[in-house]
């Protein structure tokens, strides 16, 4: 039986029709799950649906109180490793404990803890750092850090990293996906070990290998993937060519990144050899160093069959660094299975929402200006306001997570139980490229990843009104999509696709480390079809936030309160999420990635399939 979509109206008849269709769809999904779904082994228990009456006491207004507290000046912007983070994680742990959750991180001697320390290192590259290209004609091109290059290192120790006459390769898009459906391998038969490799960001778009010009960004296109792959290839260094079009933001973002501390896990979790130098190089510098120039390299690397090749360049240089070592904190809470006699207590479903933000700005230049969507935005900060309160990003996500904790903590009193345990995690250092969630995925404490059947992530909240649709970023890649469709229909909604597929949003939040490890993952966010609003409403209100509030000090509680009924849309998101979580918690099998997806292999390895 196919999936039935109903576009609900705001009238009673529309809602009734959606309700009737949800019953039919619920039966269809149970039949589909009984057949095994895409993964082939998912079976439905007798009760997957939650009747509407269980939501009668549901009160979304508790989210408001959580945001007001977490985004207050008292919490100092929840900077990683600060007093503000200490206050935040203690508040979250107390709230989880009061809802019947217990600590999911072992503290030793049989004592449970809500806190998982995350070891971090901060590396700052001094402006005296540089690299020097020796070209084939004997001339030199010296590039200063923060000007035409932005440099850092994987090395854990040393305040001076010296490069001396290293070979340089052009790696194209630096993609190794030969065994995937894309059939693309830039390193086929080419050994780049010990060399500095120059890479393009994004993915080939001149043929249909990755879907063409307007196809959604894949994981292979993310700049973080390029560094990971070159570590696996044994390269000594990696420089990513920046263009506004391929990166999605201007060089000003890279320049700001160069001026701030680079925070990473200590040690890095990725397999392979540490990169002595890694960073970005401007397209204008490439135009000076390579005869083909940036445009020529893009054209060359976009053709199927391209292989990495040596350039007529030698690179040397010095990185001068300062370092500090510190820790962030993941909060981990567990609600055990509540069904009597359940045999699935060791299996888990994870819900995450990062609690960190940027803390207090040390001076007139904010580290938050380095956010990936801020490259063309001129930022202003009131001189007296130095605290990045992070109300929408992501006190709101934590507030939603705690409202889910309230619901499931009291569900048994309403006559419903769960077969699997629910694990709630608020990761640290998400703003520093998903560090807390990456550490948890590499060091799971509440349940092994092989027993973690799925995960969901909250990052942000819909404060702009009710919608007809909901979006599950990444759901379309796995069996989660059909469960999400059924959950949305029970709320009179439909599921829409990613509103900004070229931005690769699925790969830019805390669901990514779990997905990379093989766990089917989804980020729940709002749609674009707002009830009673014109077609351009989404672009106006969300665009205004992205341009004037995102990663700025005025993303505060007062901003949220300035909207009429800012929690109506949030209530929709949370209810759909609760229904989806309930299905996942009560399934007798697990969702699977679609076989053609990049993360299907990781899941097969995780499960020994």
């Amino acid at each position: 039986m196919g999936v039935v979509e109903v576009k609900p109206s705001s009238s009673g008849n529309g809602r009734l029709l959606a309700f009737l269709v949800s019953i039919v769809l619920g039966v269809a999904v149970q039949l589909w799950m009984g057949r095994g779904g895409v993964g082939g082994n998912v079976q439905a228990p007798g009760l997957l649906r939650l009747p509407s009456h269980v939501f009668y006491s549901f009160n979304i207004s508790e989210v408001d109180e959580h945001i007001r507290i977490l985004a207050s000046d008292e919490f100092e912007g929840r900077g990683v490793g600060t007093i503000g983070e200490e206050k935040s994680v203690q508040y979250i742990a107390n709230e989880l404990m009061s809802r019947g959750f217990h600590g999911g991180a072992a503290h030793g001697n049989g004592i449970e803890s809500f806190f998982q320390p995350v070891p971090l290192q901060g590396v700052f590259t001094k402006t005296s750092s540089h690299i020097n290209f020796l070209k084939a004609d004997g001339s030199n091109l010296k590039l200063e850090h923060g000007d035409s290059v932005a440099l850092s290192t994987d090395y854990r120790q040393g305040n001076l990293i010296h490069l001396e006459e290293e070979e340089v390769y052009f790696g194209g898009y630096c993609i190794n996906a030969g065994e995937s459906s894309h059939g693309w391998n830039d390193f086929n038969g080419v050994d780049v070990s010990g060399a500095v490799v120059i890479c393009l960001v994004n993915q080939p778009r001149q043929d249909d290998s990755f879907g063409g010009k307007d196809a959604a960004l894949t994981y292979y296109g993310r700049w973080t993937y390029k560094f990971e792959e070159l570590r696996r290839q044994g390269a000594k260094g990696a420089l990513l060519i920046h263009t506004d079009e391929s990166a999605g933001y201007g060089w000003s973002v890279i320049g700001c990144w160069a001026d701030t501390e680079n925070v990473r896990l200590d040690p890095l979790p990725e397999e392979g050899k540490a990169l002595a130098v890694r960073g970005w190089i401007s397209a204008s510098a490439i135009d000076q160093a390579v005869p083909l120039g940036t445009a020529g390299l893009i054209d060359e690397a976009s053709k199927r069959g391209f292989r990495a090749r040596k350039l007529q360049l030698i690179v040397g240089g010095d990185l001068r660094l300062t370092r500090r070592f510190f820790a962030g904190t993941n909060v981990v809470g567990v609600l055990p299975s509540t069904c009597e006699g359940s045999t699935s207590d060791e299996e888990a479903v994870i819900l995450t929402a990062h609690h960190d933000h940027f803390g207090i700005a040390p001076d007139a230049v904010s580290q938050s200006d380095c956010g990936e969507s801020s490259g063309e935005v001129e930022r202003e900060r009131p001189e007296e306001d130095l605290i990045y309160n992070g109300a929408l990003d992501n006190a709101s996500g934590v507030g939603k997570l705690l409202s889910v904790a309230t619901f499931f903590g009291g569900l048994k009193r309403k006559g419903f139980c769960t077969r699997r345990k629910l694990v709630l995690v608020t990761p640290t250092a998400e703003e520093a490229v998903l560090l807390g969630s990456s550490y948890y995925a590499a060091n799971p404490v509440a349940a092994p990843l092989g027993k973690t059947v799925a995960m969901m992530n909250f990052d942000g909240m819909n404060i702009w009104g009710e919608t007809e649709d909901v979006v599950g970023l990444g759901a379309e890649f796995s069996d989660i999509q059909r469960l999400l469709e059924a959950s949305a229909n029970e709320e009179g909604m439909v599921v829409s696709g990613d509103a900004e597929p070229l931005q690769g949003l699925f790969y830019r939040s805390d669901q990514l480390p779990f997905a990379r490890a093989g766990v089917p993952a989804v980020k729940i966010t709002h749609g674009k079809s707002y009830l009673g609003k014109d077609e351009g409403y989404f672009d106006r209100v969300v665009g205004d936030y992205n341009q004037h509030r995102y990663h700025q000090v005025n993303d505060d509680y007062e901003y949220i309160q300035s909207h009429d009924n800012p929690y109506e849309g949030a209530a929709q998101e949370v209810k759909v999420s609760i229904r989806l979580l309930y299905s996942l918690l009560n399934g007798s099998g697990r969702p699977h990635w679609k076989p053609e997806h990049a993360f299907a292999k990781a899941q097969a390895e995780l499960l020994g399939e």
Side-chain angles (χ1 to χ4, degrees):
M1 183 180 295
V3 175
V4 181
E5 285 194 356
V6 173
K7 188 173 182 180
S9 69
S10 55
S11 68
N13 289 336
R15 297 290 189 186
L16 177 60
L17 179 58
F19 171 74
L20 294 174
V21 170
S22 74
I23 295 175
V24 176
L25 185 59
V27 173
V29 168
Q30 291 197 35
L31 290 172
W32 169 80
M33 292 180 72
R35 292 198 306 269
V38 173
N41 69 344
V42 181
Q43 293 185 2
L47 269 177
L48 276 180
R49 297 181 61 252
L50 281 171
S52 297
H53 71 76
V54 299
F55 290 101
Y56 288 168
S57 60
F58 176 75
N59 187 1
I60 194 65
S61 65
E62 77 164 274
V63 176
D64 177 79
E65 180 68 3
H66 298 314
I67 297 173
R68 185 188 65 79
I69 293 172
L70 289 168
S72 67
D73 286 354
E74 178 187 351
F75 283 67
E76 300 181 353
R78 308 186 303 282
V80 178
T82 67
I83 294 295
E85 183 176 36
E86 289 182 19
K87 292 180 179 179
S88 301
V89 299
Q90 191 61 60
Y91 173 82
I92 295 165
N94 289 341
E95 292 296 307
L96 291 175
M97 190 182 307
S98 70
R99 288 155 175 78
F101 285 71
H102 61 76
H107 191 64
N109 297 323
I111 300 174
E112 295 175 343
S113 173
F114 282 90
F115 307 122
Q116 181 186 38
V118 178
L120 302 170
Q121 181 181 168
V123 179
F124 179 78
T125 305
K126 297 181 180 179
T127 55
S128 57
S129 302
H130 70 280
I131 59 172
N132 185 71
F133 285 122
L134 174 62
K135 299 195 285 186
D137 61 6
S139 63
N140 288 298
L141 177 63
K142 185 176 181 180
L143 304 176
E144 305 283 352
H145 171 71
D147 183 10
S148 297
V149 289
L151 307 170
S152 189
T153 181
D154 285 351
Y155 285 7
R156 296 184 65 197
Q157 298 177 339
N159 291 328
L160 174 63
I161 308 296
H162 179 65
L163 299 177
E164 185 173 0
E165 296 186 352
E166 311 292 347
E167 291 184 328
V168 181
Y169 276 72
F170 173 53
Y173 287 92
C174 292
I175 293 174
N176 181 7
E179 296 180 358
S180 73
S181 60
H182 303 294
W184 191 283
N185 185 358
D186 288 319
F187 303 104
N188 188 17
V190 181
D191 182 5
V192 298
S193 60
V196 174
V197 183
I198 293 174
C199 292
L200 297 165
V201 296
N202 215 288
Q203 62 198 34
R205 293 188 177 276
Q206 293 183 13
D207 65 13
D208 62 355
S209 300
F210 287 81
K213 180 180 179 181
D214 298 321
L217 189 73
T218 67
Y219 180 55
Y220 297 110
R222 285 289 291 152
W223 62 268
T224 51
Y225 166 81
K226 316 298 181 178
F227 292 148
E228 293 161 9
E229 183 57 41
L230 286 174
R231 292 184 189 111
R232 289 189 285 268
Q233 295 292 329
K236 188 164 188 178
L239 294 173
L240 309 184
I241 302 174
H242 174 274
T243 70
D244 290 5
E245 181 180 11
S246 62
Y249 40 86
W251 179 260
S252 61
V253 174
I254 306 300
C256 185
W257 178 82
D259 289 338
T260 59
E261 181 181 58
N262 177 236
V263 178
R264 81 282 299 275
L265 292 173
D266 184 60
L268 289 167
E270 286 89 359
E271 60 184 287
K273 183 178 178 181
L275 299 170
V277 59
R278 60 178 174 88
W280 294 78
I281 183 168
S282 68
S284 60
I286 290 294
D287 291 343
Q288 297 177 67
V290 181
L292 272 179
T294 301
L297 292 179
I298 292 173
D299 184 63
E300 177 187 4
S302 298
K303 296 175 181 176
R304 177 168 285 280
F306 168 84
R307 292 194 301 170
R309 63 179 179 88
K310 187 184 296 186
L311 296 176
Q312 298 301 305
L313 290 173
I314 298 294
V315 65
D318 290 317
L319 276 70
R320 294 181 172 86
L321 313 163
T322 59
R323 301 174 184 269
R324 72 182 179 105
F325 297 85
F326 62 107
T329 304
N330 290 338
V331 181
V332 184
V334 175
L335 184 69
S337 132
T338 56
C339 291
E340 293 183 8
S342 173
T343 60
S344 303
D345 188 43
E346 292 307 307
E347 293 182 331
V349 177
I350 294 181
L351 172 64
T352 63
H354 76 89
H355 61 252
D356 68 293
H357 203 57
F358 290 109
I360 301 175
D363 50 42
V365 177
S366 156
Q367 61 179 312
S368 65
D369 291 342
C370 300
E372 290 186 66
S373 63
S374 62
E376 304 303 324
V377 179
E378 181 178 350
R379 306 217 169 244
E380 298 181 0
R381 179 177 63 240
E383 187 173 340
E384 69 280 1
D385 190 355
L386 300 177
I387 298 177
Y388 289 83
N389 302 97
L392 207 55
D393 182 19
N394 187 34
S396 70
V398 175
K400 292 195 300 182
L401 177 145
L402 291 175
S403 74
V404 170
T406 300
F407 182 89
F408 281 101
L411 188 60
K412 191 170 185 179
R413 294 192 296 271
K414 299 177 182 178
F416 294 87
C417 65
T418 51
R419 297 179 61 253
R420 291 168 171 148
K421 60 185 174 183
L422 175 61
V423 178
L424 302 187
V425 182
T426 68
T428 187
E430 187 271 353
E431 302 292 3
V433 197
L434 322 181
L435 299 186
S437 53
S438 295
Y439 186 78
Y440 183 94
N443 304 274
V445 289
L449 288 193
K451 295 287 188 178
T452 302
V453 300
M455 75 82 60
M456 179 188 297
N457 182 39
F458 290 156
D459 196 348
M461 183 178 80
N462 176 18
I463 63 172
W464 300 287
E466 290 186 288
T467 58
E468 296 180 338
D469 55 341
V470 65
V471 171
L473 295 176
E476 70 275 19
F477 304 143
S478 76
D479 294 331
I480 291 176
Q481 177 74 7
R482 297 206 183 197
L483 297 176
L484 177 60
E485 289 170 347
S487 301
N489 270 274
E490 289 179 18
E491 289 298 319
M493 305 174 73
V494 296
V495 176
S496 294
D498 185 356
E500 300 175 287
L502 297 182
Q503 296 300 312
L505 296 178
F506 177 73
Y507 307 105
R508 289 167 55 173
S509 195
D510 282 321
Q511 63 275 356
L512 176 60
F514 293 91
R516 285 184 57 200
V519 178
V522 61
K523 175 185 173 182
I524 301 296
T525 187
H526 55 85
K528 294 183 66 173
S529 300
Y530 281 82
L531 293 173
K533 304 296 183 181
D534 61 85
E535 187 175 340
Y537 178 76
F538 170 88
D539 292 332
R540 289 198 306 275
V541 295
V542 177
D544 178 75
Y545 171 77
N546 287 337
Q547 291 188 20
H548 302 114
R549 304 274 178 171
Y550 175 66
H551 285 186
Q552 297 188 67
V553 294
N554 54 6
D555 177 7
D556 52 25
Y557 178 71
E558 287 72 25
Y559 169 67
I560 292 177
Q561 289 299 300
S562 69
H563 293 78
D564 295 332
N565 302 316
Y567 297 102
E568 289 181 342
Q572 291 180 299
E573 291 177 354
V574 174
K575 287 181 179 181
V576 170
S577 299
I578 286 172
R579 291 187 181 280
L580 176 55
L581 285 169
Y582 184 76
S583 294
L584 292 168
L585 288 165
N586 282 318
S588 58
R590 64 173 65 232
H592 274 59
W593 294 103
K594 292 182 178 179
E596 68 273 15
H597 196 269
F599 301 137
K601 181 180 178 181
Q603 186 179 28
E605 293 174 353
L606 182 67
L607 302 180
E609 297 179 347

